[in-house]
Every structure is written in C-alpha cells, then in structure tokens.
Amino acid sequence: MSNLPAFVPVLFLGNKGAYSIARAFHEQYGIKTELNVTMDAGPVAHSKIVNKHIYPDLTDNLREHFIEIRDRVDRDYPEAAKIVLASEDTFTEHLISHRDIFEEAGWTVPYVDLATLEEATDKAKFYAKCEEVGVPYPHTWQVADDQVPAAASGKLVVKPAITPSYQVLHFEGKRKIYFCDNPEEAQTAIQLMRQGGYPDPIIVQDFIEGADTDQAVVTAYRSPHDKQIKLTAFGRVMVEDRSASAAGNHLAILSENGHEEVYRHVEALMTAYDFTGYANFDLIYDHDREAFVFFELNPRLGLSNYYVTAGGQNPVYYYIEDYLFGRPVPDSFEATPALFTVLPRGLVKRRLLGTAYADQVKGLYQERQVFNPLAYPYDNHWRRKLYVKASELNYYRKFKETGQL
C-alpha cells in the first residue's frame, strides 16, 4: 500500500485535451491517469502515462459504467483520494448530473452544480450576464421563430446557444460555427441546424472582423474554499482551425501577460456566477471598441489547455493542492513566454509571415520554448511519435482544403 499514490486522477475520453491533462499530471506529480475511453483514439494510443480502460458503450450506459469505474478505482487504490475530470462539454455535464455516484464514495467532482452550468454555458444567458456586469460582447440576437432577426445585417455568425445538445448531432453540412456573408446565408444555417435535430435556442451575432492573432483564450481558476481567483492564463491565438468540424479550435497559442482589463472582466463573470474551479473563455479583439470582447464561457479546461502548462502554470496543481486537499497555493497570474502548437514549424512560419509575432515566435523556436502537447518526450513509443508527426503533417492537407495556404 505504501507505493500507491496519495491521489488518483480519473479522466474521461481520449481527445487532445484529455492527453494534455494526463501529461500535466505526469509532469507535475509523476503519476498515471486512470483514463476511460470509448475507443483507443490516436491522441492517447500507445501512451505510458495513462492506465486505459475501454468501454465501447460508455455513453449508452453511463450510470452503470460510472458505478463500475468508481468501484474498480476504489478497489485498486483504497487509500487514495480521487478526483474525476472530463475533457469536453458533454462529459462535463454527465459528471455533474451523476456526481452523486462519485461523491457518495468520497470522490471530488471539481465542477459547479447543474443549475450554474446551464446558466453559464447557455450563450444567450451568458451575454445577458455580460451586460449585467459590464463585460463587452458581440452584438447578439437570440433567434425567435427560427427567423434571422430583422435588425441583423451584413456578415453574421450563427451558432447553438447550448453546445452539449449540438455536439452529439451528426448531419450533412454540420459546422461547429456558421460564418455567413449575409442574412440569407444565416437563415440557411438556422434551417440546417433545425433539420439536423438541434432543439435549443440559436444565437445570431455580428461578425467581428479580425485576424487569427486578434483571437485569444483565457483560462482561470477560482477556489471553492475562499472564492478567490488563484490562476489566470492569457493565450494569444496565432493560428485558428477553419475546418467545418473544428472551426474556432486553436492550433497555435502564444502565452502573454499584461491583460489586466481582461482579467477584471473574467473575475467579474466568475464572481457573478459564483463559478469555482476552472473556466475557459474565448475572446476577440474588437478594433472598433479597442477592447477584447467575450464569446463564451467553457466550464472546464479547454481542448488546448496545454498552453497553460507550457507557460509554466500547470493547471492540475491547483486542482490537487487547492481543490482536492485545501492546501495553500501561490497566486499565478504571469506566464513564461512559450508557444503551444499542434502544427509543424513550416506551417506556423507561413501563417505568421509578415505579422507582428513572426520574430517572437522564431525566437521561441530557437530557445526551445515551443510545445506540442502530444509530443511528450517521456511518452516515446515509436508508434506515438509516428502518430504525432503524421498528425502535424496532416494540417498541410487541411490548410489547403480550407484556403489557409
């Protein structure tokens, strides 16, 4: 028993965000994550930093499998504290909805209650909250009677107000976000979403012009104990994914400091919701307003969460030391300059050619301060290294298909 860890992280699903969390645990504490997946997906395949358990029908029999997983982990680690995490929105909601299974066994589920989750992640309600606390956001309408609002004109963005109920749908022409040149295209997008089975409110927004480097992401941690924000990490997006299924995902992020106004807005929102644990915010710089505006709150560590670890602010440290054990932790509001990227160097260079960030990023490559979250030197199985290289090179094809080359 003495060789068993003091705590065990239990994680669901096997995307890039999940591997990033498992890597953060291994880097910080030298332990493996108990990973539960529906298949042996590429990002976590042939990894030696996870103990993998495959449940092909995991999503079909959630409650039964949650109980089975809880009992297995308790048997294997009888004295260890347990913390359970998700790597995407739908499973975050699943863990919250079934938290009684874990909490009755003394496990920690480091997420807000279901009512707070639903209010914070409903984009229509989120923008109302932004209005209430003075946080800038894009000009937004909630669709009524499935019609584009009469006041909407010019370039528009159409997206679901409720992400989890949209994520699970599969239909031809589906996009994560619909960028529309005019109201007619926006109306087509609304009809497509409805025909595809999306049942919840739809949002229409003014399109804010900007380059990839006008985009940003902020990760923040607020303690459940003293309700103070302990960590904020600002990432300047260098390259964004524009493919249909992953539009808006961040492919390269530069850690930055000195965004105090953004941090004040983050604190205002998390305080207004009494939101504890991690929240992840997507932003864009509006040149007309000369300010960053907020798009959404994600109730978890984001898919690109490794940009936080790369900048020297390992996020799982706060989950364990503060959330799980209630130990004193230092505030962390500044990052070390670093580049997170899942792209090959040649693509990053081409995308940043002529921008204000080209020289800085070149310097980070020279200083070896560039990190692909999947390319963990410790996790060095040859098949993993082959997968990571193939994954990087595949972006040349994706960029050609989406007009980014």
Side-chain angles (χ1 to χ4, degrees):
M1 295 294 179
S2 60
N3 292 327
L4 294 179
F7 72 91
V8 177
V10 180
L11 182 60
F12 283 89
L13 300 189
N15 58 21
K16 293 176 183 177
Y19 184 83
S20 298
I21 293 170
R23 177 175 173 177
F25 273 115
H26 192 267
E27 287 186 13
Q28 185 71 39
Y29 296 103
I31 65 172
K32 292 184 177 183
T33 296
E34 293 291 315
L35 182 67
N36 304 281
V37 297
T38 58
M39 65 181 70
D40 195 8
V44 297
H46 308 291
S47 172
K48 59 183 180 181
I49 65 170
V50 298
N51 293 321
K52 200 179 310 165
H53 307 274
I54 301 175
Y55 300 89
D57 62 339
L58 178 62
T59 55
D60 298 322
N61 299 283
L62 270 176
R63 195 163 182 88
E64 294 85 349
H65 282 311
F66 280 170
I67 293 170
E68 178 184 351
I69 290 164
R70 178 201 64 189
D71 292 346
R72 170 178 51 78
V73 174
D74 277 342
R75 281 195 309 273
D76 291 347
Y77 306 93
E79 303 299 325
K82 287 90 177 178
I83 187 167
V84 60
L85 302 166
S87 60
E88 49 91 77
D89 290 335
T90 302
F91 249 83
T92 301
E93 185 172 342
H94 289 329
L95 290 180
I96 291 171
S97 298
H98 299 280
R99 70 190 313 149
D100 61 298
I101 292 173
F102 303 103
E103 290 183 340
E104 68 185 18
W107 290 33
T108 295
V109 183
Y111 300 114
V112 294
D113 59 69
L114 188 59
T116 302
L117 175 86
E118 291 176 344
E119 183 182 6
T121 58
D122 181 326
K123 293 181 180 61
K125 294 179 180 178
F126 174 72
Y127 298 129
K129 186 68 72 175
C130 288
E131 183 72 26
E132 178 185 320
V133 299
V135 172
Y137 62 96
H139 192 180
T140 302
W141 299 268
Q142 183 171 332
V143 169
D145 300 323
D146 290 349
Q147 297 296 312
V148 174
S153 62
K155 291 185 177 181
L156 299 168
V157 176
V158 176
K159 57 188 178 183
I162 310 294
T163 301
S165 63
Y166 187 71
Q167 281 182 328
V168 297
L169 299 175
H170 302 279
F171 56 87
E172 187 175 353
K174 179 184 176 182
R175 300 187 68 88
K176 184 179 175 183
I177 302 169
Y178 299 83
F179 296 100
C180 307
D181 288 332
N182 50 57
E184 291 73 26
E185 288 188 11
Q187 186 62 53
T188 299
I190 292 169
Q191 292 169 345
L192 182 65
M193 292 171 70
R194 290 300 188 218
Q195 291 167 0
Y198 175 67
D200 293 317
I202 294 174
I203 294 295
V204 173
Q205 288 180 326
D206 281 342
F207 177 76
I208 298 177
E209 297 282 356
D212 285 0
T213 52
D214 289 315
Q215 309 273 349
V217 56
V218 175
T219 299
Y221 174 84
R222 184 168 180 259
S223 173
H225 305 300
D226 63 10
K227 303 299 180 74
Q228 298 299 306
I229 290 183
K230 305 293 186 181
L231 176 148
T232 50
F234 184 99
R236 169 85 63 172
V237 175
M238 295 288 98
V239 185
E240 183 178 279
D241 199 326
R242 298 183 185 176
S243 62
S245 61
N249 287 350
H250 312 314
L251 303 179
I253 301 173
L254 177 67
S255 56
E256 282 190 354
N257 299 311
H259 294 277
E260 284 77 12
E261 184 177 28
V262 169
Y263 296 158
R264 286 195 295 272
H265 290 152
V266 165
E267 184 173 14
L269 285 167
M270 294 187 78
T271 301
Y273 284 119
D274 193 19
F275 201 98
T276 56
Y278 276 104
N280 175 265
F281 300 86
D282 289 329
L283 302 81
I284 188 170
Y285 190 78
D286 186 335
H287 290 270
D288 291 336
R289 284 188 263 184
E290 297 184 338
F292 279 99
V293 300
F294 282 62
F295 282 128
E296 62 184 352
L297 182 160
N298 298 300
R300 55 178 173 80
L301 288 171
L303 186 67
S304 54
N305 67 80
Y306 196 80
Y307 88 89
V308 186
T309 309
Q313 299 172 282
N314 193 317
V316 304
Y317 173 82
Y318 290 82
Y319 263 150
I320 300 307
E321 302 303 321
D322 181 69
Y323 209 116
L324 184 61
F325 291 127
R327 299 167 180 160
V329 291
D331 293 338
S332 182
F333 303 137
E334 289 199 7
T336 301
L339 181 72
F340 157 102
T341 184
V342 294
L343 302 174
R345 181 174 180 173
L347 268 183
V348 175
K349 180 180 178 180
R350 289 178 67 170
R351 289 296 300 162
L352 295 182
L353 190 65
T355 72
Y357 301 95
D359 287 343
Q360 184 180 359
V361 168
K362 180 181 178 181
L364 291 173
Y365 273 103
Q366 293 171 342
E367 296 164 12
R368 299 183 181 275
Q369 284 298 108
V370 178
F371 302 90
N372 182 330
L374 301 181
Y376 185 18
Y378 175 87
D379 215 3
N380 57 4
H381 192 287
W382 68 269
R383 288 184 175 176
R384 269 204 65 76
K385 292 193 285 187
L386 186 62
Y387 169 80
V388 173
K389 181 57 66 176
S391 176
E392 287 184 346
L393 294 176
N394 188 49
Y395 280 103
Y396 279 103
R397 177 188 60 79
K398 289 185 69 174
F399 274 36
K400 288 180 180 179
E401 291 175 350
T402 55
Q404 291 176 271
L405 278 180

